[in-house]
């Protein structure tokens, strides 16, 4: 019998999660109720932020974060080319221009030097991505952003629970941070996301944006004459319906209790891979001093053989029922980005680390439903592949 398919990630849903969602359905308020508020409070506390705003997806979280930061037409945002396209799409939704920078060869997070070379007078924000769950070089990025009077934003879709020198991702490391709760992330709401920050004015902007741009909060109303009426509310900006329902919030709240445990299992699988995979054949993930990663992905890069060898390994592992993936096709390579004139001219020169990564990388399965025997199966399949290709 063939081994079952081992996905690169998958949600882990317990009976407690199911009971929590079922319970939420017994309430009158199945949207805009107490669970969302509770989730926002607990999540903010967990990441040492002053506030959190829950939204319907991680992409909505990045969009809302960029709106709260005041981005709009004519603004430039420097971000890594190596990310899920949703990060850059959210910048474009606001009419701002994504400018693609390279990543560092160790952790594949946004390279501060590359950012410094691309920032202009129009740069309003530096938007980093905590790639694979490893925190970005926040201190250096903060310096580069401050030199240009730009904000530092973080897409931490991969990094809930990650820490740097005792500071949680989502707290004061960046001005604003976005998280995703989609089914393959470290914890899930089915679909969902959160924005966190410390500036109360930005919280107000975020909370309004995700409710159609409308508010009922008396202190925020522009027409104070009507504030005394219980029926009064205002649309103050063109917003979106990005609300997270109580069903989703119930699942997220239940999963949040297990985030630490989920991340610990991910770390165990990563430690096993680090011990068992052949570092002469594969460049294994690097963890910088003082960092606790969230191990959202476990990405290896082939040392030799380029794209042809990577593609062969990818195909061999898929044939063995191992759900390897490539995270990600660099965003400016997508046809839509080329047509929009957003792709740099010669990417091998301007984004050398990203382009080398694109030829050589592959994500191995890592998720909390795996045990060591699953990880051993992956290691064996990788070893068998190389055994047939080694020079004799
Ligand atoms: C880095 C990054 N940013 C943003 C997103 C978007 O999140 P969602 O799928 O919840 O919209 C993802 C999801 O895959 C992601 O990996």
């Amino acid at each position: 019998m063939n081994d079952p398919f081992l996905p690169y990630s998958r949600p882990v849903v317990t009976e407690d999660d199911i009971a929590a969602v079922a319970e939420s359905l017994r309430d009158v308020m199945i949207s805009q109720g107490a669970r969302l508020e509770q989730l926002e409070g607990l999540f903010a506390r967990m990441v040492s932020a002053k506030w959190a705003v829950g939204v319907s997806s991680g992409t909505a979280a990045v969009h809302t974060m960029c709106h709260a930061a005041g981005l709009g037409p004519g603004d430039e945002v420097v971000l890594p080319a190596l990310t899920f396209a949703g990060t850059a799409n959210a910048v474009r939704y606001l009419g701002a221009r994504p400018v693609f920078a390279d990543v560092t060869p160790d952790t594949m997070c946004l390279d501060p030097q590359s950012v410094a070379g691309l920032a202009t007078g129009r740069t309003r924000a530096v938007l980093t991505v905590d790639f694979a769950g490893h925190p970005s070089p926040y201190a250096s990025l903060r310096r580069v952003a401050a030199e240009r009077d730009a904000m530092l934003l973080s897409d931490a879709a991969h990094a809930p629970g990650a820490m740097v020198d005792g500071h949680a991702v989502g707290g004061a490391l960046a001005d604003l941070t976005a998280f995703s709760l989609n089914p393959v992330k470290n914890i899930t709401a089915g679909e969902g996301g959160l924005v966190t920050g410390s500036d109360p004015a930005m919280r107000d902007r975020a909370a309004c944006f995700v409710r159609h741009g409308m508010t009922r909060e008396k202190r925020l109303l522009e027409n104070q004459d009507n504030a005394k009426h219980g029926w009064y509310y205002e649309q103050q900006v063109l917003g979106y319906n990005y609300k997270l329902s109580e069903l989703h919030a119930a699942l997220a709240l239940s999963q949040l209790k297990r985030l630490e445990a989920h991340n610990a299992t991910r770390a165990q699988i990563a430690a096993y891979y680090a011990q068992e995979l052949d570092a002469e054949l594969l460049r294994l993930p690097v963890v910088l001093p003082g960092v606790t990663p969230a191990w959202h992905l476990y990405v290896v890069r082939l040392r030799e053989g380029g794209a042809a060898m990577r593609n062969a390994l990818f195909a061999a592992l898929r044939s063995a029922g191992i759900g390897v993936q490539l995270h990600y096709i660099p965003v400016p390579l997508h046809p839509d980005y080329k047509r929009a004139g957003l792709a740099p001219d010669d990417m091998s020169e301007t984004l050398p680390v990203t382009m080398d990564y694109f030829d050589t990388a592959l994500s191995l399965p890592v998720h909390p439903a795996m045990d060591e025997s699953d990880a051993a199966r992956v290691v064996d399949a990788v070893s068998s592949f190389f055994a047939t290709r080694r020079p004799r």
Side-chain angles (χ1 to χ4, degrees):
M1 212 180 73
N2 287 339
D3 286 323
F5 184 74
L6 178 64
Y8 85 88
S9 185
R10 50 157 285 195
V12 178
V13 175
T14 63
E15 288 303 320
D16 282 351
D17 292 341
I18 293 167
V21 176
E23 188 61 29
S24 77
L25 282 164
R26 292 181 210 287
D27 271 3
V28 179
M29 300 295 284
I30 58 173
S31 188
Q32 305 197 70
R35 287 177 179 81
L36 175 56
E37 262 185 56
Q38 201 190 342
L39 173 67
E40 291 173 340
L42 283 174
F43 197 88
R45 211 169 313 141
M46 183 194 88
V47 301
S48 308
K50 292 267 173 14
W51 54 263
V53 170
V55 292
S56 54
S57 74
T59 306
V62 183
H63 187 190
T64 303
M65 169 171 78
C66 290
H67 169 80
L71 300 178
D75 294 335
E76 290 182 357
V77 177
V78 183
L79 78 169
L82 180 59
T83 182
F84 178 63
T87 315
N89 292 349
V91 171
R92 290 173 67 193
Y93 296 159
L94 290 162
R97 183 182 176 86
V99 174
F100 293 105
D102 211 355
V103 292
T104 58
D106 49 7
T107 64
M108 317 309 297
C109 292
L110 186 58
D111 180 352
Q113 268 186 4
S114 176
V115 175
L118 289 164
T120 69
R122 287 184 298 280
T123 306
R124 284 281 307 279
V126 173
L127 167 50
T128 190
V129 175
D130 289 345
F131 193 77
H134 192 293
S136 302
Y138 281 103
S140 311
L141 290 171
R142 176 68 91 185
R143 268 194 301 278
V144 175
E147 276 163 20
R148 307 294 191 289
D149 232 358
M151 292 183 68
L152 179 57
L153 310 179
S154 170
D155 177 346
H158 298 182
M163 308 279 295
V164 196
D165 296 329
H167 301 286
V169 163
L173 293 167
D175 292 309
L176 292 164
T177 306
F179 294 89
S180 164
L181 299 170
N182 84 14
V184 294
K185 293 298 187 277
N186 296 39
I187 55 165
T188 188
E191 295 285 353
L194 290 137
V195 183
T196 62
S198 56
D199 180 338
M202 287 195 210
R203 191 221 74 104
D204 291 342
R205 285 174 61 81
C208 181
F209 189 67
V210 306
R211 290 174 183 78
H212 308 273
M214 295 173 183
T215 185
R216 297 184 165 274
E217 284 191 59
K218 284 209 170 73
R219 67 187 172 88
L220 297 175
L221 294 173
E222 289 175 28
N223 185 342
Q224 280 294 327
D225 289 346
N226 277 336
K228 58 181 177 291
H229 300 301
W231 47 260
Y232 191 65
Y233 62 90
E234 280 173 356
Q235 176 168 332
Q236 298 182 329
V237 291
L238 183 59
Y240 291 76
N241 181 357
Y242 278 166
K243 296 190 298 291
L244 189 75
S245 83
E246 289 293 287
L247 285 65
H248 294 88
L251 180 53
L253 271 172
S254 184
Q255 292 244 326
L256 192 56
K257 295 183 196 149
R258 301 200 306 281
L259 175 63
E260 234 181 276
H262 280 194
N263 284 0
T265 311
R266 287 174 176 275
Q268 274 166 19
I269 303 290
Y272 180 86
Y273 282 150
Q275 195 182 302
E276 299 297 327
L277 290 168
D278 189 340
E280 284 181 15
L281 298 167
L282 298 170
R283 296 174 70 176
L284 304 179
V286 169
V287 179
L288 296 181
V291 161
T292 307
W295 290 113
H296 174 59
L297 302 173
Y298 192 91
V299 179
V300 296
R301 284 171 283 164
L302 276 78
R303 290 193 185 276
E304 281 175 21
M309 187 73 98
R310 190 277 313 278
N311 293 343
L313 176 58
F314 190 100
L317 293 174
R318 278 287 180 94
S319 304
I322 294 168
V324 283
Q325 273 291 4
L326 172 52
H327 297 98
Y328 297 92
I329 296 167
V331 180
L333 287 181
H334 286 295
D336 180 51
Y337 273 81
K338 289 191 177 157
R339 275 194 292 274
L342 294 170
D345 284 339
D346 183 349
M347 290 194 231
S348 340
E349 262 177 35
T350 50
L351 305 169
V353 181
T354 301
M355 294 312 281
D356 176 69
Y357 172 100
F358 178 47
D359 277 346
T360 58
L362 174 136
S363 305
L364 300 179
V366 59
H367 57 75
M370 283 174 73
D371 59 21
E372 209 166 281
S373 71
D374 295 314
R377 190 179 142 204
V378 175
V379 170
D380 287 349
V382 172
S383 306
S384 318
F385 172 84
F386 283 114
T388 59
R389 276 163 180 78
R390 271 209 175 121
R392 283 160 212 280

